[in-house]
Amino acid sequence: MSNQRLEGLREERDLFKKDVAKDLGVVESVYSEWENEKLSIPTKRLVQLANYFEVNIDYMLGLTDVRLHIKTSNDIDMEIVSKRLREIRKSLKMTMRDLADKFNTSSSAISNYENEKFLILSSLLIELCKFSNYSIDWVLGRSDVKYLK
């Protein structure tokens, strides 16, 4: 299985995997595993990749067919992320325990994400956004578009 969007974005620019890997500062095998969905892309690298291709993460990951031109700084504002994660949880009318149980994690992990102690893992972020229909780009402060279309 491969991330066809990521591959397509790379091919649009006539780039090889080694080119993107070099530009991102990772080894080619790591980038290749991201593109082939053998390795989860860390949250900070999702932002870096989306900025590199100047697209929304939701599109890049195939969560939407709506392609937006977005390029932001590589900095993630933890305050925004934590506030928006809390907003999502509350909109779902779930406690931290409920959310933790739903996504097979601990309530302390959810608390750490909501209290700016740790950046949410990309795998959890993706599943949460699929479940709630919120945009990953909105959660990470890259866009004001709140919901997936």
Side-chain angles (χ1 to χ4, degrees), residues 22 73 78:
K22 181 181 177 191
S73 71
M78 292 290 286

Side-chain angles (χ1 to χ4, degrees), residues 37-92:
E37 295 184 358
K38 292 183 180 177
L39 186 63
S40 180
I41 305 170
T43 306
K44 287 185 179 185
R45 294 295 189 168
L46 281 175
V47 172
Q48 187 181 20
L49 269 169
N51 286 339
Y52 181 79
F53 291 116
E54 299 182 2
V55 297
N56 48 321
I57 295 170
D58 302 312
Y59 176 81
M60 185 176 73
L61 295 179
L63 301 180
T64 182
D65 291 329
V66 177
R67 182 175 178 169
L68 303 174
H69 181 272
I70 300 176
K71 185 170 185 171
T72 61
S73 71
N74 280 336
D75 297 331
I76 295 173
D77 186 328
M78 292 290 286
E79 185 178 354
I80 289 172
V81 175
S82 66
K83 179 182 171 190
R84 290 179 176 183
L85 288 172
R86 192 174 308 107
E87 182 179 328
I88 291 171
R89 179 177 57 78
K90 288 182 178 186
S91 77
L92 295 170

Side-chain angles (χ1 to χ4, degrees), residues 2-147:
S2 70
N3 184 328
Q4 294 178 342
R5 285 273 170 81
L6 195 52
E7 181 181 12
L9 289 166
R10 177 179 53 78
E11 290 176 348
E12 279 178 17
R13 293 186 174 193
D14 293 323
L15 297 170
F16 295 102
K17 290 179 183 180
K18 67 180 179 179
D19 301 322
V20 178
K22 181 181 177 191
D23 291 344
L24 296 177
V26 299
V27 294
E28 182 180 353
S29 61
V30 168
Y31 177 78
S32 184
E33 288 184 348
W34 291 344
E35 198 171 287
N36 293 322
E37 295 184 358
K38 292 183 180 177
L39 186 63
S40 180
I41 305 170
T43 306
K44 287 185 179 185
R45 294 295 189 168
L46 281 175
V47 172
Q48 187 181 20
L49 269 169
N51 286 339
Y52 181 79
F53 291 116
E54 299 182 2
V55 297
N56 48 321
I57 295 170
D58 302 312
Y59 176 81
M60 185 176 73
L61 295 179
L63 301 180
T64 182
D65 291 329
V66 177
R67 182 175 178 169
L68 303 174
H69 181 272
I70 300 176
K71 185 170 185 171
T72 61
S73 71
N74 280 336
D75 297 331
I76 295 173
D77 186 328
M78 292 290 286
E79 185 178 354
I80 289 172
V81 175
S82 66
K83 179 182 171 190
R84 290 179 176 183
L85 288 172
R86 192 174 308 107
E87 182 179 328
I88 291 171
R89 179 177 57 78
K90 288 182 178 186
S91 77
L92 295 170
K93 296 181 171 65
M94 296 176 89
T95 65
M96 287 184 193
R97 167 64 52 210
D98 294 336
L99 200 64
D101 290 346
K102 172 72 180 163
F103 294 103
N104 197 29
T105 191
S106 67
S107 54
S108 63
I110 301 298
S111 176
N112 286 333
Y113 301 144
E114 288 189 12
N115 290 299
E116 302 178 48
K117 296 196 181 196
F118 298 106
L119 182 60
I120 187 169
L121 295 174
S122 60
S123 55
L124 177 58
L125 176 61
I126 292 164
E127 291 307 310
L128 175 62
C129 287
K130 283 181 185 177
F131 177 74
S132 65
N133 203 43
Y134 280 83
S135 162
I136 292 172
D137 297 280
W138 177 78
V139 173
L140 297 177
R142 297 183 76 242
S143 170
D144 291 331
V145 178
K146 201 171 190 177
Y147 301 103

